[in-house]
Amino acid sequence: MAEAEPTAIAEVEVDSGGTRLRLRAESIVSGVLRIPYADEAQLVSDVAELGASARVIAPSDVRDRVVESLSAVLQAHEGSP
Amino acid sequence: MSGTAAERLSRLLALVPWLSNNSGVSITEAADHFGVSADVLERDLWLVVCCGLPGHGPDQLIDIQFWDDDERINVIDPQTLERPLRLTMPEATALLVGLRILAQVPGAHDRGALASATAKLEAAAGTALDASEAVFVVASTPEAIRLAVDEALARGRVLRLVYAGATRDAITERDVDPRGVVHQDGFDYLDAWCRLAGAQRTFRLDRVVSASVLPDPAVAPADLAPAHATPSVGMPVRLAYRESAAWVVDALDLEDVERHPTGGGRATLRVADRAWLVRLVLGQGGRISVVAPEDLRQEVAVAARRAHERYAESP
């Protein structure tokens, strides 16, 4: 299946790792990657899996979805399994 | 030194037919032919005369005389080993396909002998050849990487790899002392001592971005265990998955799968790298979670909390 054409750009600060994101970035300035994307859910997953090594700066809705995603992981691992 | 057990077995299997065709050669001549010392060849002969057909009575053992003062070797009864090897069509086809796969696996094996054996089999196989040509053997390792690995193994040199690891999502450059190549599940894995990690590692060769042979001699520790291409004995981790993440059952090699009516379930995954699993779970937004062991469950929780706090610190 062909990958959809990017429809938006996210700015993601990445400290270390994140090769997949770096390969997709159209530019990297002072550790901030400008990443064209079409699939927001995939971008959220790719950023979240980097843990504290990555942070979405913009857009705010992607940033909010990453925070929600991390909250869900935290909730799933607190208390009894 | 007689080499490894595999080398010795290979030599023993070739020894009797060769001696049958060269009866009367001296021990020294035979040793020269097989590239070993006379002592090693004599030990091989003592082992061969203890081998034979089922029953293992005196009449079923291979009979070779080599203890006279003239040191000549005379084959009295080779117990069928002088007869040409006969293969059935399926055996010949399987062997041809195996040879073609082996020819594409990097390593220090004798490619001239492989090509020669393949050509002879193809010539002798007759109609089996048609079947073997219907099977395409696709190399998983790029040619340039295979050549570099071949050279490093043949010359005993250090390899510099640029490697895109699957577990840490990072490209690293590392110097490794190569030990050999294993082939499993369609992929070639380099077994090596990694100087960056200071430990034995396996590298899937289709993930090697580039490989260059360095002039430094490879010096891997001698007491390393044989490599296993895949971690069949990794740490068992019990996972819970929701219906929206049920793809993990197909995508990962899970054990003890317990499917729930909700569409989700629980399953066990053997994990060789904790960091890889933590990343996997962090990216799933709670759709996959660690049930046990507890310390790994806590590790995921800590990683998620730290990531969450980063957003709180920098709104």
Side-chain angles (χ1 to χ4, degrees):
Chain A
M1 196 167 74
E3 204 168 301
E5 285 294 314
T7 53
I9 290 181
E11 290 183 355
V12 182
E13 188 179 47
V14 179
D15 298 339
S16 59
T19 305
R20 274 210 304 273
L21 289 180
R22 290 177 195 278
L23 291 173
R24 281 156 48 192
E26 64 174 24
S27 69
I28 304 175
V29 179
S30 303
V32 176
L33 283 55
R34 281 177 55 85
I35 304 169
Y37 67 95
D39 184 341
E40 187 175 299
Q42 184 62 54
L43 179 66
V44 167
S45 176
D46 289 346
V47 173
E49 73 171 31
L50 295 176
S53 297
R55 181 176 68 96
V56 175
I57 297 171
S60 59
D61 55 339
V62 174
R63 177 190 162 92
D64 291 345
R65 281 191 66 181
V66 173
V67 173
E68 282 170 20
S69 177
L70 291 167
S71 298
V73 174
L74 189 54
Q75 193 177 6
H77 289 82
E78 285 179 331
S80 301
Chain B
M1 276 285 286
S2 58
T4 64
E7 287 167 353
R8 190 181 192 199
L9 176 61
S10 173
R11 188 172 63 247
L12 288 170
L13 287 170
L15 187 59
V16 180
W18 187 82
L19 289 175
S20 293
N21 288 326
N22 295 276
S23 205
V25 296
S26 71
I27 288 179
T28 307
E29 288 166 341
D32 286 346
H33 177 79
F34 286 97
V36 294
S37 69
D39 285 347
V40 166
L41 192 94
E42 197 167 337
R43 281 200 294 275
D44 286 350
L45 289 169
W46 281 114
L47 179 57
V48 163
V49 296
C50 295
C51 302
L53 297 174
H56 303 295
D59 291 343
Q60 285 95 35
L61 294 177
I62 293 169
D63 191 359
I64 300 177
Q65 188 177 325
F66 59 93
W67 42 77
D68 286 348
D69 290 341
D70 64 359
E71 292 195 335
R72 295 283 159 186
I73 308 171
N74 291 293
V75 178
I76 311 298
D77 187 349
Q79 297 289 2
T80 77
L81 283 180
E82 86 286 12
R83 295 179 198 161
L85 179 65
R86 292 183 184 279
L87 298 174
T88 63
M89 289 303 183
E91 287 170 341
T93 305
L95 189 54
L96 272 170
V97 173
L99 286 169
R100 288 174 184 174
I101 291 172
L102 186 57
Q104 295 182 0
V105 173
H109 30 266
D110 186 340
R111 296 191 182 281
L114 269 175
S116 169
T118 303
K120 286 175 184 169
L121 260 173
E122 284 172 345
T127 55
L129 182 64
D130 300 335
S132 70
E133 285 187 336
V135 179
F136 292 94
V137 177
V138 179
S140 66
T141 302
E143 182 70 4
I145 306 299
R146 186 182 67 76
L147 291 173
V149 173
D150 275 356
E151 184 186 345
L153 284 168
R155 295 176 57 208
R157 293 289 185 266
V158 172
L159 258 181
R160 177 160 293 166
L161 302 180
V162 175
Y163 187 67
T167 58
R168 297 188 187 280
D169 189 19
I171 291 177
T172 55
E173 183 179 279
R174 51 183 82 205
D175 294 348
V176 304
D177 301 276
R179 302 178 67 232
V181 174
V182 291
H183 184 82
Q184 188 166 323
D185 298 334
F187 295 103
D188 302 321
Y189 296 82
L190 175 66
D191 170 24
W193 177 261
C194 175
R195 296 186 175 189
L196 181 67
Q200 186 180 11
R201 292 284 186 270
T202 53
F203 301 93
R204 216 175 89 174
L205 288 177
D206 63 317
R207 293 188 181 135
V208 174
V209 178
S210 68
S212 49
V213 181
L214 302 184
D216 312 2
V219 197
D223 55 349
L224 300 179
H228 296 285
T230 54
S232 56
V233 289
M235 173 181 64
V237 176
R238 193 69 177 160
L239 299 173
Y241 61 90
R242 293 186 192 159
E243 184 181 13
S244 56
W247 54 266
V248 293
V249 177
D250 297 321
L252 302 177
D253 190 13
L254 298 178
E255 302 168 3
D256 301 326
V257 177
E258 175 191 318
R259 297 172 199 272
H260 296 168
T262 57
R266 290 190 174 191
T268 299
L269 176 66
R270 291 193 174 270
V271 175
D273 187 323
R274 294 169 71 99
W276 172 83
L277 187 81
V278 171
R279 285 188 48 222
L280 171 76
V281 176
L282 281 177
Q284 293 304 313
R287 293 184 292 273
I288 299 175
S289 57
V290 175
V291 175
E294 181 60 25
D295 62 335
L296 186 56
R297 183 173 161 79
Q298 289 305 315
E299 195 173 326
V300 174
V302 168
R305 191 176 297 114
R306 283 186 183 149
H308 199 271
E309 285 168 358
R310 183 166 178 181
Y311 285 92
E313 290 163 3
S314 308

